[in-house]
Amino acid sequence: MAEVLTKQAPVETPGPSLDRASAGKPLLSSTRIARRVRRLGRQISEMYADIENPLVIVVILKGATVFAADLLRSLSIPAELEFVRASSYPTGTSSNGHLKLAHMVEGPLVGRHVLLVEDIVDSGLTVNAIARRIRRMGPASVRIAALLDRPARRQEEVNIDFCGFVIPDRFVIGYGLDYAGLYRELPHIYSLT
Ligand code: PRP
């Protein structure tokens, strides 16, 4: 069961000039994220404890890289890594409605169990489009792990199998999430709006 955030942390310095030293209270601290990610890792390890071949983790670039790196190290089962490049928000804080997919998984997925790893599910278009493509490759199963679920902007129903936090309709940065390509390196997650 994902943690649902109802309280909004104060926001101080929005925009590209965000001062790391005065960014205000994080929406999600690194400690809280780490605790949740470890728990997700345990749940995923239990789910796939009996599968024959290593789990195939498909990381959706770029935002999911930080989450995926921590999630991977919290697993107690063998896993392989694949990457998919998806981009829908080239600038700014809202979707422009265009989704670019590139660098699809090349390895054979027939009969394999696949876990798509996302930093955030927003409209749902990205993860659903990738899941549809992966399913055409004949896997045994396709499941979704997302650190953040922002259901307010959902355009397509998404079944998130492993969800970290359900967040309000705020633009968030840090822990892999960007604003105009910046702030992915921040250890905490902040709200910009
Ligand atoms: C973000 C995020 C998800 C997607 C979610 O990616 O990383 O992949 O948007 O949005 P959706 O549910 O509305 O499709 P973005 O396009 O910003 O690229 P990035 O991961 O490289 O930052």
Side-chain angles (χ1 to χ4, degrees):
M1 189 68 171
E3 292 183 33
V4 180
L5 299 186
T6 50
K7 285 191 181 160
Q8 179 56 36
V11 178
E12 287 177 16
T13 338
S17 62
L18 179 79
D19 178 348
R20 282 155 179 75
S22 62
K25 186 170 177 283
L27 183 66
L28 292 165
S29 70
S30 60
T31 307
R32 193 168 172 196
I33 295 168
R35 197 167 52 228
R36 188 76 190 120
V37 171
R38 281 196 298 273
R39 189 170 189 157
L40 290 175
R42 284 197 296 274
Q43 290 171 349
I44 291 165
S45 300
E46 283 168 21
M47 167 71 79
Y48 296 103
D50 299 325
I51 63 175
E52 194 176 334
N53 295 306
L55 176 65
V56 181
I57 304 255
V58 176
V59 184
I60 302 177
L61 299 173
K62 301 175 185 174
T65 48
V66 178
F67 172 45
D70 286 343
L71 188 65
L72 185 69
R73 286 174 291 177
S74 72
L75 296 180
S76 55
I77 55 167
E80 295 174 8
L81 265 187
E82 295 276 3
F83 297 90
V84 174
R85 174 76 182 114
S87 177
S88 60
Y89 302 177
T91 59
T93 60
S94 63
S95 172
N96 66 357
H98 298 293
L99 177 66
K100 284 196 297 185
L101 294 183
H103 306 304
M104 282 300 293
V105 175
E106 290 176 355
L109 292 182
V110 176
R112 303 294 297 275
H113 291 275
V114 175
L115 182 66
L116 301 181
V117 175
E118 259 292 24
D119 52 342
I120 185 166
V121 175
D122 202 2
S123 68
L125 299 176
T126 303
V127 77
N128 276 353
I130 292 169
R132 277 194 294 275
R133 293 231 199 150
I134 297 278
R135 284 194 187 98
R136 282 188 227 131
M137 301 171 83
S141 70
V142 179
R143 291 192 176 90
I144 296 169
L147 180 69
L148 305 178
D149 177 11
R150 183 165 52 192
R153 304 187 195 184
R154 195 63 35 85
Q155 292 179 36
E156 289 183 1
E157 192 179 330
V158 181
N159 182 24
I160 304 175
D161 301 276
F162 305 97
C163 180
F165 303 93
V166 179
I167 64 166
D169 189 14
R170 310 286 177 180
F171 193 85
V172 284
I173 55 160
Y175 197 72
L177 292 134
D178 75 308
Y179 173 79
L182 298 174
Y183 309 122
R184 297 190 197 272
E185 75 281 6
L186 298 177
H188 312 293
I189 291 177
Y190 297 90
S191 163
L192 277 188
T193 55

